[in-house]
Amino acid sequence: MEELLRDATNRAIKYLDAMSERRVSPSASALEGLAGFAKPLQDQPLEPAKVLEELDTLGSPATVASAGGRFFGFVIGGSLPAALAADILSAAWDQNAVLEVTSPVAAALEKVCRAWIADLLGLPPEVEVGFVTGATMANFTGLAAARHALLQGQGWDVEGQGLFGAPPITVIVGDEVHVSLLKALSMLGLGRDRVVKVGVDEQGRIIPEQIPPILGPRSCVSRRGM
């Protein structure tokens, strides 16, 4: 185990050290090398060291160098050394953070982060905070809460009764709405094709004057289309 982890660490350090010299996008030969992963499923497991070697040999050259300082594509940033080191340690912890009893440290850290977020955003200290996996689940969670509140105001229990026969909800988004929000709407049963789109400014923000009249508590507005 120790030898394997040291090997992984050395390979990771070598990969990061070469970041300033390699091209940002993988070369054609590196992409062709990915075909080496396509092997029949074997009956017996491979040696861990062999798995690591194969990942590094075939996979490392075919990565996009988003961890380097010359990557400017999309909204992706390289991880800080402290974050990378913490990620390695948390992987070794192998915690199931679903309950405090299964991971007291994860629960404690979430409480600390909750207090920090509340302080940064000027929210009351008793506010609850949830951590999600990315943009799609963030939109999904926010829209689910909005759906619950709007239908509850209409006397409808969406968790118990579902959406069959529920009062309609109008969702207003900007013309540059992110695909993750539309995906969340489809998963929530609100329909990604039933939204009302309005114009946005040069920064992608909804133009308030273009928002149509909102009748009662049955509409949900996504301010930036995210």
Side-chain angles (χ1 to χ4, degrees):
M1 171 71 77
E2 182 177 344
E3 183 178 352
L4 181 67
L5 294 180
R6 290 188 184 278
D7 188 19
T9 300
N10 290 333
R11 290 177 184 274
I13 293 173
K14 181 181 178 181
Y15 172 82
L16 293 175
D17 283 344
M19 195 66 63
S20 60
E21 301 175 2
R22 60 159 286 182
R23 54 185 288 164
V24 172
S25 60
S27 65
S29 60
L31 294 177
E32 292 173 359
L34 292 175
F37 286 126
K39 300 176 181 178
L41 179 64
Q42 69 276 359
D43 293 327
Q44 300 299 324
L46 297 176
E47 289 293 327
K50 176 64 177 177
V51 174
L52 183 63
E53 179 186 8
E54 186 174 293
L55 282 173
D56 188 28
T57 302
L58 300 178
S60 292
T63 60
V64 175
S66 53
R70 293 178 294 114
F71 178 82
F72 301 102
F74 307 104
V75 189
I76 302 174
S79 59
L80 295 172
L84 176 58
D87 196 32
I88 294 173
L89 183 58
S90 64
W93 285 352
D94 190 26
Q95 296 291 279
N96 186 336
V98 64
L99 299 169
E100 186 170 2
V101 68
T102 60
S103 182
V105 62
L109 291 174
E110 281 197 4
K111 292 175 182 176
V112 171
C113 291
R114 177 182 63 187
W116 287 351
I117 292 172
D119 183 46
L120 284 172
L121 300 180
L123 299 172
E126 63 272 15
V127 70
E128 289 296 337
V129 173
F131 296 91
V132 295
T133 54
T136 297
M137 285 311 300
N139 282 321
F140 182 91
T141 303
L143 287 168
R147 184 189 66 175
H148 169 86
L150 291 173
L151 291 179
Q152 185 181 49
Q154 297 289 308
W156 188 271
D157 178 10
V158 66
E159 284 78 15
Q161 298 173 275
L163 289 174
F164 292 103
I169 296 177
T170 300
V171 180
I172 303 171
V173 301
D175 279 332
E176 297 183 6
V177 58
H178 196 276
V179 65
S180 62
L181 186 138
L182 298 177
K183 181 179 179 181
L185 288 172
S186 65
M187 291 191 296
L188 283 167
L190 297 177
R192 63 174 180 266
D193 296 331
R194 298 184 61 185
V195 298
V196 176
K197 290 188 176 182
V198 299
V200 297
D201 63 16
E202 66 280 358
Q203 295 188 39
R205 297 173 298 190
I206 285 179
I207 300 173
E209 293 75 17
Q210 295 191 20
I211 297 176
I214 299 176
L215 304 176
R218 295 184 299 170
S219 298
C220 175
V221 179
S222 174
R223 294 295 180 186
R224 288 187 57 87
M226 289 293 287

